[in-house]
Amino acid sequence: MFRTIFGKISPILVVKEAKAFHPVSEDERRLIELCGGSAGEALKAMESGPEGLSPAESERRLDVYGRNEISEAQRPGFWTDIVRRCRSPLVVQLLLIAAISGAIGELKSAVIVSGMVVLSVGLSYALDRRSSRAVEALGKRVQSHTVVVREGREADIPIAEVVPGDLVVLHAGSVIPADLRLLTAKDFFVSQSVLTGESMPVEKNAEPCANLGRAAHELTNACFQGGNVLSGAARGVVINTGARTTFGSIAERLSQTREATSFDRGVRSFTWLMIRFMVVMVLVVFLIVGLTKGNWIEALLFALSIAVGLTPEMLPMIVTVNLAKGALTMSRKKVIVKQLSAIQNFGAIDILCTDKTGTLTQDHVVLERHVDIIGHESDNVLRYAWLNSHYQTGLRNLIDRAVLEYIQFNVERNCRRVDELPFDFQRRRMSVVVDYEGDHVLICKGAVEEIYSCCDRYQVDEEIYPLINMIRDDLYEEVEGLNEDGYRVLGIAYREFPREKTTFTVADECDLILLGYIAFFDPPKDSTAQALAQLRESGVRVKILTGDNALVTRKICRDVGMEVTRAVTGDELARLDSREFAQAIREANILARLSPAQKEMVIQGLRQAGHVVGYMGDGINDAPSLRAADVGISVDTAVDVAKEAADIVLLEKSLLVLEDGIKEGRKVFANIIKYIRMGASSNFGNMFSVVGASYLLPFLPMQPVQILLNNLLYDFSQTGIPTDNVDEELIARPLKWDIGNIKWFMIFIGPISSIFDYATFGVMWFVFHCNAFLVAAADGAAQGHYERLFQTGWFVESLLTQTLIVHIIRTRRIPFLRSRASLPMTVTTLAVMALGAWLPYSRLARVFGFVPLPAGYWGWIAGFLLAYGIITHTVKTWFLKRFGGE
């Protein structure tokens, strides 16, 4: 839900808006007041209690307060949306032309241009809404949940169903679902960067806040929607939901759209390039026609018609339909797109950063060894590891689940949890304190190096000995050997305290007794080698970013056939300067022992080097990296904060699924580029034809209404592009926006159409005697016939060649023989060509100023179409070899 907002509103703007002065709302004032009192007073004020709400009461409050969503406030109504679309420079230009045409009495032109506006805006609106609903429906399949207390029982519900008065249970990895007042908290740290811009964790507690004059986000006993839990556990009562939250009020005040992707900027630059090109052309044609023909009104109409012909008004529709179709197709391949704009970058990914667990491996960790310090199997090590995993209240990871699945101890009667020191990525360990066998026992589990640093003794059987360097060396050697065999190793240590001590801190994790270690194995997936090979063939380099050690990662990479180019650790990266850092992350494909901040730095460094980076993660520590990447990718089994930060969510954690999604993203990009290349080259070629014909001929080469009709029919023929097939070689490599390549394509391909336009002029002038116009000066009817015959001939030739040529441009291969368009595209093309050929002989001919064409004309046109296709294919093939491109 929150990513929907982040996608539409720049996080930087949210922070600026949060820091700006705004009057305190009633909802915010109420939260501040409740933070000044006790937890019990807050519960009473919200008409709730320790047992939470009943299902009936929660339903009633949901009806009263509405769903806990913000995104709905950002969706414009029908007329607002239509007006916004009509503000597009392309649409404004068409509306202006329609108005001018109507004002000077050219109703047919006004109607045709208006029809083009309806076609462009109407299709764009309808398909955009349809795709938005489809994406929302897909998003519900991966929506985040939260745990609330209902009638004394914990229940997992969608965040959208949280209501004021709900008791929310929070732990590491939880997304904070609403603005709430904490009731209990233990070592509770949250991230509020979406509100404050500060990346450092903020500690929260449940004590009444003494200083209520501070800003709301500075309250020490309040948490706010949009944040997430980094460590610890807490419970809180919901005060405000939806648009009444602090984040919701900020979102409503901001009208800024989502940050533009490189593709968005590229399309915008192309649009303005065409508009500038059109303005110059209109002025030139207006002056040429006005000066040579002497009729300035006619010159204005002709120039405006040329402006319409040069306008890529179908571009918004083509982009929308392509993205919508891509999202639906990707969903059938187990790839859920949360942000349509992410599809554009998805196909451009050339570096994929990912962890190894669940990606290279089966994501099924198995406990293999539980031994003491000298390597003997130890029940004490297993029991203490089990107690640690069983009594922790934070997020249970694969390691904890493996321990709990290995064995079941019946300790409920003689053991209870006293306290807990949650895991964090600085300490790389976590502890629970249990009342066990007459003492309060602190049991610590974590990375071997971190556990060892907290110990001063070790235990074998029932004997305890002081730790010496020789023991440390032997232990590290044994652990290193296990790592090289692909095992993940964690140390287990403990310390006993008297029962009188009931409160514990991180400072108590000292003077521990090293009990032994546990070793786990996560076997590689059978499909990983195939997926890595396919990604490599697709031009995507895979880099492993992991918090695990390099030895384990190297072993897994060898097992799946991934060649290790270089491996670096977080400690090594920390000692490098900026130049060395850039070189290291460029060369290495294993980056181990990374902190969350270092993962983010690696991704940012790769992006600064010009790469399009995808990051795949599912853990608490992955959220910053998911946001830093061009495309954040998570899985539906990920922690909530990871799913919220992602642009793409996979229904299966597999590189094969990911590779399918990347290919589909490239197909979307390739089809959009087809239209852009077609429009650019066609418009550039038309420039030479229109300018030359306007100057050389004693009459207009085509009537304004004919130009508009030509453009309308051509636009309709292009509506099949989003459904078109894409050749495998077009999506074999990452596709990136390259306006320079499009310009060169336009320069080389565009003028070819002018060759056949001038050939048509020659045939109509000399073969079919339209030059008789010059000797029939006294016969106005005869002059009119020759003028209309010429115009009809060029209309048909222009429409047929322009419509057919997209089949040449759409593929690198020989068209029709080795690459065929989709059925919808073929049907629209044939339908428009048939309609264009039929019009001169129809009852509509007189309406649009057409006359029947002589039979011999079709032989010439057939030859022109064949020659045009061969020459264009030849030049296109040379261009792609010389300049590259999609």
Side-chain angles (χ1 to χ4, degrees):
M1 178 183 67
F2 307 123
R3 182 67 178 186
T4 303
I5 299 301
F6 297 157
K8 293 184 177 180
I9 301 174
S10 166
I12 296 175
L13 290 176
V14 172
V15 173
K16 288 183 178 179
E17 186 74 4
K19 292 181 177 180
F21 172 77
H22 293 285
V24 178
S25 67
E26 288 299 322
D27 296 308
E28 194 170 299
R29 183 177 291 110
R30 184 186 190 191
L31 173 64
I32 293 173
E33 290 175 354
L34 292 178
C35 287
S38 67
E41 291 170 343
L43 273 177
K44 184 178 180 180
M46 297 307 299
E47 299 180 4
S48 186
E51 302 295 308
L53 302 175
S54 67
E57 177 62 16
S58 64
E59 286 291 334
R60 187 190 71 80
R61 296 194 186 193
L62 189 62
D63 291 336
V64 173
Y65 295 102
R67 292 173 66 80
N68 182 30
E69 295 175 338
I70 304 172
S71 55
E72 296 298 322
Q74 297 295 321
R75 180 182 296 167
F78 173 78
W79 290 111
T80 304
D81 198 357
I82 293 297
V83 170
R84 178 180 62 81
R85 294 174 192 275
C86 288
R87 288 176 180 169
S88 162
L90 301 177
V91 177
V92 169
Q93 174 184 308
L94 292 179
L95 290 173
L96 183 61
I97 292 171
I100 294 174
S101 300
I104 61 178
E106 286 292 328
L107 295 181
K108 286 185 291 186
S109 297
V111 169
I112 291 176
V113 175
S114 299
M116 294 168 66
V117 171
V118 171
L119 182 65
S120 175
V121 173
L123 279 176
S124 176
Y125 171 81
L127 294 168
D128 202 5
R129 280 302 171 104
R130 178 186 172 191
S131 66
S132 295
R133 287 194 296 269
V135 170
E136 287 176 8
L138 294 173
K140 289 179 180 178
R141 297 169 63 179
V142 293
Q143 64 181 331
S144 296
H145 286 63
T146 193
V147 177
V148 299
V149 178
R150 296 271 171 90
E151 289 188 329
R153 297 181 179 179
E154 293 185 1
D156 187 75
I157 65 170
I159 285 177
E161 296 178 10
V162 171
V163 296
D166 260 330
L167 262 64
V168 178
V169 180
L170 300 170
H171 53 70
S174 297
V175 169
I176 297 171
D179 288 358
L180 49 88
R181 199 275 192 207
L182 293 178
L183 304 176
T184 62
K186 175 63 178 176
D187 298 314
F188 194 61
F189 289 84
V190 302
S191 169
Q192 296 183 158
S193 59
V194 69
L195 289 177
T196 65
E198 300 296 334
S199 59
M200 295 300 295
V202 178
E203 186 173 12
K204 299 285 185 175
N205 58 60
E207 299 302 318
C209 189
N211 184 5
L212 298 180
R214 63 182 66 185
H217 63 263
E218 295 180 356
L219 295 169
T220 56
N221 56 1
C223 292
F224 300 90
Q225 186 184 66
N228 61 275
V229 182
L230 300 177
S231 63
R235 290 194 177 198
V237 59
V238 173
I239 310 299
N240 298 318
T241 59
R244 290 175 295 276
T245 63
T246 300
F247 184 78
S249 64
I250 294 171
E252 286 195 324
R253 290 197 293 263
L254 290 172
S255 59
Q256 177 72 27
T257 56
R258 64 175 175 81
E259 183 180 355
T261 65
S262 60
F263 185 87
D264 294 328
R265 293 189 293 271
V267 170
R268 191 180 303 122
S269 68
F270 169 76
T271 299
W272 282 106
L273 173 67
M274 289 293 99
I275 289 175
R276 290 193 294 270
F277 179 61
M278 177 271 300
V279 170
V280 173
M281 276 292 297
V282 166
L283 292 175
V284 171
V285 170
F286 175 67
L287 291 174
I288 289 176
V289 174
L291 293 172
T292 58
K293 311 301 184 290
N295 187 334
W296 290 97
I297 295 296
E298 187 180 67
L300 177 61
L301 274 175
F302 186 72
L304 292 176
S305 301
I306 294 299
V308 173
L310 296 176
T311 302
E313 65 277 352
M314 297 300 288
L315 182 58
M317 187 279 294
I318 294 291
V319 171
T320 297
V321 177
N322 267 289
L323 295 177
K325 177 179 176 294
L328 294 174
T329 303
M330 290 166 75
S331 71
R332 291 192 286 270
K333 296 183 177 182
K334 301 182 180 180
V335 179
I336 304 301
V337 180
K338 294 176 63 182
Q339 293 292 323
L340 281 179
S341 58
I343 296 177
Q344 303 152 3
N345 279 336
F346 203 33
I349 290 175
D350 62 340
I351 290 182
L352 173 66
C353 298
T354 179
D355 196 358
K356 62 176 179 58
T357 304
T359 307
L360 304 184
T361 65
Q362 294 181 12
D363 209 14
H364 181 67
V365 175
V366 178
L367 176 60
E368 294 281 350
R369 301 185 68 181
H370 47 92
V371 298
D372 60 23
I373 200 71
I374 59 175
H376 294 161
E377 188 171 291
S378 170
D379 289 338
N380 281 336
V381 171
L382 180 59
R383 181 179 293 104
Y384 275 46
W386 189 92
L387 289 171
N388 179 283
S389 296
H390 178 73
Y391 282 106
Q392 69 153 307
T393 60
L395 186 69
R396 283 179 178 159
N397 57 27
L398 292 172
I399 297 292
D400 295 309
R401 290 198 288 269
V403 172
L404 297 175
E405 289 171 1
Y406 186 84
I407 197 171
Q408 180 68 39
F409 288 105
N410 185 15
V411 295
E412 298 299 330
R413 293 183 179 179
N414 59 356
C415 187
R416 65 178 180 84
R417 187 176 72 89
V418 176
D419 206 347
E420 180 178 3
L421 303 175
F423 178 86
D424 65 58
F425 293 98
Q426 284 71 45
R427 290 162 45 239
R428 295 199 297 154
R429 60 179 183 265
M430 65 87 55
S431 300
V432 296
V433 182
V434 294
D435 188 337
Y436 185 56
E437 295 182 347
D439 292 306
H440 283 176
V441 183
L442 183 149
I443 305 172
C444 190
K445 176 184 69 185
V448 172
E449 299 91 335
E450 304 301 331
I451 295 295
Y452 187 92
S453 67
C454 300
C455 297
D456 61 0
R457 290 162 292 166
Y458 71 95
Q459 179 174 326
V460 175
D461 295 328
E462 300 302 319
E463 300 297 325
I464 297 175
Y465 306 94
L467 268 179
I468 57 177
N469 290 338
M470 184 179 68
I471 295 295
R472 183 196 64 183
D473 295 341
D474 289 344
L475 173 64
Y476 282 10
E477 183 179 342
E478 177 67 19
V479 169
E480 184 175 328
L482 289 169
N483 289 159
E484 289 176 344
D485 289 334
Y487 288 91
R488 174 106 180 257
V489 183
L490 296 181
I492 304 293
Y494 75 97
R495 180 182 174 185
E496 296 175 345
F497 292 88
R499 278 189 166 181
E500 291 74 27
K501 182 175 176 61
T502 57
T503 302
F504 293 81
T505 67
V506 172
D508 293 311
E509 292 178 328
C510 65
D511 301 329
L512 304 185
I513 299 171
L514 182 61
L515 197 57
Y517 60 84
I518 49 179
F520 303 85
F521 186 66
D522 187 6
K525 287 181 178 177
D526 295 335
S527 62
T528 299
Q530 177 190 352
L532 289 172
Q534 290 181 357
L535 285 169
R536 187 165 53 249
E537 291 171 2
S538 300
V540 179
R541 288 189 289 157
V542 177
K543 291 181 182 288
I544 307 301
L545 275 58
T546 180
D548 208 343
N549 69 59
L551 294 174
V552 175
T553 309
R554 275 182 180 273
K555 174 62 167 59
I556 295 296
C557 289
R558 286 198 302 270
D559 289 346
V560 299
M562 179 176 170
E563 181 183 355
V564 179
T565 57
R566 180 182 173 185
V568 295
T569 65
D571 290 340
E572 291 169 350
L573 288 177
R575 294 192 292 268
L576 303 179
D577 59 30
S578 58
R579 184 186 61 80
E580 293 169 334
F581 180 87
Q583 181 180 353
I585 64 174
R586 183 179 69 251
E587 295 175 352
N589 61 351
I590 290 180
L591 297 102
R593 288 295 187 192
L594 298 183
S595 68
Q598 285 178 319
K599 288 185 179 181
E600 188 177 3
M601 289 173 61
V602 168
I603 291 169
Q604 290 170 344
L606 292 171
R607 291 185 66 190
Q608 290 169 3
H611 297 286
V612 178
V613 182
Y615 181 79
M616 185 173 175
D618 61 358
I620 306 167
N621 60 322
D622 291 318
S625 299
L626 288 165
R627 294 194 180 102
D630 291 287
V631 183
I633 306 160
S634 193
V635 291
D636 64 336
T637 56
V639 297
D640 287 343
V641 67
K643 286 191 290 187
E644 294 297 344
D647 303 290
I648 305 283
V649 177
L650 307 182
L651 298 182
E652 179 183 330
K653 193 173 183 181
S654 167
L655 290 178
L656 282 175
V657 171
L658 183 62
E659 201 267 343
D660 286 342
I662 289 174
K663 287 289 184 69
E664 196 60 41
R666 293 178 184 178
K667 289 180 181 179
V668 170
F669 188 97
N671 277 336
I672 294 174
I673 291 298
K674 286 177 188 176
Y675 176 82
I676 291 175
R677 279 183 164 177
M678 181 63 215
S681 58
S682 176
N683 289 346
F684 190 66
N686 286 340
M687 175 188 72
F688 296 104
S689 304
V690 169
V691 171
S694 300
Y695 177 75
L696 295 173
L697 295 174
F699 49 79
L700 293 178
M702 205 184 297
Q703 292 294 327
V705 70
Q706 294 170 347
I707 294 176
L708 296 174
L709 179 63
N710 185 301
N711 197 56
L712 179 61
L713 293 175
Y714 170 71
D715 280 347
F716 180 77
S717 74
Q718 303 305 295
T719 57
I721 287 180
T723 68
D724 191 26
N725 303 322
V726 180
D727 298 334
E728 284 299 318
E729 61 267 23
L730 287 178
I731 57 174
R733 313 299 295 175
L735 302 181
K736 299 181 182 180
W737 179 264
D738 186 354
I739 188 66
N741 185 274
I742 291 172
K743 289 178 181 178
W744 283 111
F745 188 88
M746 175 180 74
I747 291 170
F748 282 101
I749 300 296
I752 299 175
S753 66
S754 295
I755 296 173
F756 292 93
D757 285 340
Y758 280 100
T760 301
F761 297 162
V763 168
M764 299 307 298
W765 191 256
F766 297 108
V767 176
F768 298 112
H769 310 296
C770 289
N771 55 1
F773 176 91
L774 300 176
V775 299
D779 188 349
Q783 277 195 329
H785 172 76
Y786 291 125
E787 179 180 342
R788 288 193 295 275
L789 179 62
F790 185 98
Q791 293 166 345
T792 304
W794 190 31
F795 172 89
V796 173
E797 181 270 341
S798 175
L799 181 62
L800 296 187
T801 54
Q802 203 173 203
T803 304
L804 183 66
I805 201 63
V806 71
H807 290 269
I808 312 295
I809 290 177
R810 60 170 292 278
T811 178
R812 291 173 176 261
R813 305 175 187 175
I814 299 175
F816 307 113
L817 297 178
R818 296 185 179 177
S819 178
R820 295 179 181 177
S822 65
L823 180 61
M825 186 171 175
T826 302
V827 169
T828 56
T829 300
L830 293 176
V832 167
M833 293 179 71
L835 183 60
W838 170 79
L839 276 174
Y841 307 99
S842 70
R843 294 182 179 180
L844 295 174
R846 296 185 64 183
V847 175
F848 296 107
F850 298 133
V851 295
L853 292 163
Y857 170 86
W858 297 106
W860 286 97
I861 287 300
F864 287 168
L865 288 176
L866 180 61
Y868 185 26
I870 292 173
I871 293 175
T872 303
H873 174 69
T874 302
V875 175
K876 173 199 69 179
T877 303
W878 169 85
F879 175 87
L880 292 174
K881 289 180 179 178
R882 174 68 175 80
F883 294 96
E886 293 74 36

